[in-house]
Amino acid sequence: MSGLAQQEYFAGFGDPVHEAQACFRSLMEAMSRPGSIVEVDGPCEVPAPLSPVMASVALTLCDYETPIGLVGELRSDAVAGYLRFHTSAPVVDDLTEAAFVFLPNVSALPDLGTMRPGTASYPDKSATIVIDAGSFGTGLDVDLSGPGIETHVCFSATGLDAPFWRHAQANHERYPLGLDIIFCGPNAIAALPRSTKIEA
Amino acid sequence: MAETSGYNFAYLDEQTKRMIRRALLKAIAVPGYQVPFASREMPMPYGWGTGGIQVTASIVGRDDVLKVIDQGADDTTNAVSIRKFFKRTAGIETTTQTHEANIIQTRHRIPEEDLRADQIMVFQVPIPEPLRFLEPRETETRKMHALEEYGLMHVKLYEDISQHGHIATTYAYPVAVKQRYVMDPSPIPKFDNPKINRSPALMLFGAGREKRIYAVPPFTDVHSLDFEDFPFEIQTWREACALCGATGSFLDEIVTDDAGGRMFVCSDTDFCEKRREAGHAGPALAAEGAV
């Protein structure tokens, strides 16, 4: 009964219209130039282990139309409560229903087959994975190419290891079906749409 | 101009913007694929660029500078009204100069000036489905895209050749994006098709009445459909622009009297004005100067 008093509350965007717009432009920049690192600001205080940048992505893109899946340590009442309160998005247990899947790190990545890749007629009906990647420029380097990339781009982030990149390349090979990935770092994001080819 | 009060920034409500933003991200992830979206009623009729306006309203921020062109011109009704609309509802700066703008909304042209990586093109699209005039059923065209079954489009281009001796399609010329989806580049002249191929700028397409959004990310291969023995060609003119003397730009033919008099002028008004300011003069201006 004392739950209400003990619960800690965190604010969303201070200026929802313009902060969401700025975050979206960063997301659009990242998605249209895969592998490039784009700055994003987030709300100052968010419930751990949600990062401010990941919170910003969720507040920008999620609402009652987008079921969200929370994996690993993000499956906490505090995080689910925060996202439910600020976005009205339903939090679902079954990842095949989720439009957005949030992961605290790459090792929490479930089998990619558990998330929806879209259908041949509607490849847009696919999930977007949002991963907290620690920091960029550390870890295994891979070579990205494809739409949005002039020639090649070298990309790495904490925890993105060879098995992850094998899964990501398998995801690319299903194009035009597949999942799109957004990596959240400290104060920045990068994206890996399904259209991007990955080479070690 | 005073900002209109009582509306959200850039007219659309936040939920609508989120829905369009999600569609835009998916459109960018699958270049050339038409993403369905819940197009809203706008305070202007369908056909006046409601798709482009909804896309612009969903991406625009306070620091953006907007340029709007209609058939290359900054001073036609559609372009002027849309610029005013965003000035009033978003209070943003607008321009007629291509190099000053970072969002360029367009109806039927791509500026002559080379686009930069920090610029975004927003196209107003009437019929987004390139196969629509060949197959009226949405259920069928969707299946054709899913199966990458584009034989019908090649038959159409072949019939052009058999009837006219060349591919007679001159605008809304179909392209293949990233060797996968066949896409309608909107009714731009085929002259502008090569500008989409591997452009450093992001290209977004919005069709309001047809409720579709699609995109071409920067540096994406965009191939205008053709045949080995009938390669894709763009329009050329024997004349130079009568006002600025440009020879490599897209020219509009203007009838000047009822005795067969005509002149050819650049369709891109900003490009033409810049050239004239730089001292270039076409035959019409040179003749005037001589008098």
Side-chain angles (χ1 to χ4, degrees):
Chain A
M1 294 308 282
S2 60
L4 220 122
Q6 285 169 2
Q7 173 104 37
E8 220 181 327
Y9 290 93
F10 296 93
F13 284 137
D15 181 355
V17 172
H18 297 290
E19 285 180 52
Q21 188 273 337
C23 179
F24 171 70
R25 281 292 278 278
S26 299
L27 281 163
M28 189 163 77
E29 173 78 12
M31 198 59 92
S32 58
R33 296 172 204 278
S36 62
I37 296 160
V38 188
E39 275 184 38
V40 171
D41 289 329
C44 338
E45 289 193 346
V46 293
L50 191 67
S51 77
V53 170
M54 188 178 271
S56 193
V57 171
L59 298 182
T60 300
L61 295 178
C62 301
D63 58 30
Y64 64 88
E65 289 186 329
T66 58
I68 56 179
L70 299 172
V71 178
E73 299 94 82
L74 285 173
R75 278 179 65 98
S76 72
D77 289 346
V79 172
Y82 176 84
L83 293 177
R84 242 190 242 118
F85 178 76
H86 286 291
T87 68
S88 309
V91 177
V92 294
D93 290 327
D94 182 1
L95 293 185
T96 55
E97 290 173 17
F100 290 90
V101 178
F102 293 89
L103 307 176
N105 49 53
V106 180
S107 48
L109 187 71
D111 180 6
L112 293 186
T114 59
M115 289 166 281
R116 59 184 198 205
T119 63
S121 294
Y122 293 93
D124 58 303
K125 301 284 173 237
S126 61
T128 302
I129 309 179
V130 187
I131 305 180
D132 200 330
S135 60
F136 297 115
T138 60
L140 183 64
D141 279 336
V142 288
D143 206 39
L144 307 180
S145 58
I149 302 170
E150 190 166 8
T151 49
H152 294 273
V153 91
C154 180
F155 181 76
S156 63
T158 319
L160 303 187
D161 50 6
F164 169 79
W165 288 117
R166 269 198 300 278
H167 288 306
Q169 174 59 17
N171 180 51
H172 163 70
E173 279 160 15
R174 303 182 69 185
Y175 184 87
L177 303 192
L179 305 155
D180 306 308
I181 304 174
I182 297 166
F183 299 110
C184 301
N187 307 315
I189 52 165
L192 184 73
R194 66 193 88 170
S195 59
T196 303
K197 187 178 171 191
I198 301 150
E199 284 159 307
Chain B
M1 194 182 318
E3 265 186 68
T4 303
S5 59
Y7 288 100
N8 189 25
F9 176 79
Y11 186 78
L12 290 178
D13 60 279
E14 289 301 298
Q15 200 276 329
T16 299
K17 286 185 193 169
R18 269 193 302 273
M19 173 269 296
I20 293 174
R21 287 167 180 169
R22 289 193 296 262
L24 284 169
L25 293 185
K26 288 297 172 193
I28 292 165
V30 191
Y33 164 73
Q34 304 162 49
V35 181
F37 81 109
S39 178
R40 299 294 193 245
E41 289 278 347
M42 297 300 283
M44 63 202 73
Y46 284 139
W48 284 77
T50 53
I53 290 169
Q54 290 180 77
V55 169
T56 301
S58 303
I59 66 173
V60 77
R62 282 178 293 198
D63 301 330
D64 286 318
V65 179
L66 177 71
K67 172 184 163 87
V68 184
I69 51 172
D70 173 4
Q71 301 273 15
D74 295 279
D75 52 4
T76 54
T77 313
N78 198 208
V80 173
S81 324
I82 293 172
R83 270 205 309 276
K84 273 192 192 159
F85 176 78
F86 282 108
K87 224 174 185 166
R88 280 177 64 162
T89 59
I92 54 161
E93 207 182 313
T94 61
T95 183
T96 59
Q97 307 204 40
T98 304
H99 71 272
E100 281 183 0
N102 59 345
I103 298 177
I104 303 171
Q105 184 173 328
T106 176
R107 172 179 177 272
H108 305 187
R109 269 319 302 283
I110 296 174
E112 304 290 356
E113 207 174 301
D114 287 340
L115 297 173
R116 300 186 310 263
D118 63 334
Q119 293 178 313
I120 300 170
M121 288 290 301
V122 177
F123 294 77
Q124 301 171 199
V125 184
I127 308 282
E129 178 50 73
L131 303 164
R132 184 59 69 233
F133 291 108
L134 307 171
E135 170 52 67
R137 289 167 296 180
E138 167 69 14
T139 47
E140 292 304 302
T141 53
R142 193 153 279 280
K143 216 172 279 169
M144 288 156 81
H145 283 293
L147 300 173
E148 209 177 341
E149 176 49 71
Y150 296 124
L152 205 54
M153 186 56 92
H154 281 100
V155 171
K156 194 253 175 200
L157 296 176
Y158 172 75
E159 283 179 351
D160 264 11
I161 294 170
S162 61
Q163 280 183 24
H164 308 284
H166 60 99
I167 297 177
T169 306
T170 54
Y171 67 96
Y173 191 105
V175 294
V177 181
K178 193 189 173 278
Q179 302 172 347
R180 179 58 181 84
Y181 285 100
V182 164
M183 181 189 97
D184 180 351
S186 87
I188 56 172
K190 64 178 179 178
F191 180 88
D192 285 342
N193 276 20
K195 295 181 192 166
I196 305 180
N197 183 32
R198 299 193 65 76
S199 167
L202 170 65
M203 312 245 168
L204 305 174
F205 299 77
R209 184 193 54 209
E210 302 291 319
K211 302 174 173 55
R212 295 290 185 274
I213 281 172
Y214 52 104
V216 176
F219 306 114
T220 301
D221 293 326
V222 176
H223 174 73
S224 302
L225 300 182
D226 60 357
F227 299 99
E228 269 173 32
D229 49 346
F230 284 88
F232 173 76
E233 284 172 345
I234 60 171
Q235 291 101 329
T236 53
W237 289 263
R238 274 191 297 273
E239 299 80 0
C241 170
L243 299 178
C244 79
T247 49
S249 67
F250 188 83
L251 300 181
D252 284 338
E253 181 180 359
I254 296 174
V255 176
T256 52
D257 54 34
D258 57 2
R262 65 186 60 181
M263 64 194 265
F264 288 86
V265 295
C266 290
S267 119
D268 185 336
T269 53
D270 174 53
F271 174 78
C272 195
E273 275 164 27
K274 288 245 173 56
R275 278 181 55 86
R276 274 177 278 153
E277 278 164 21
H280 296 279
L285 281 191
E288 218 171 72
V291 172

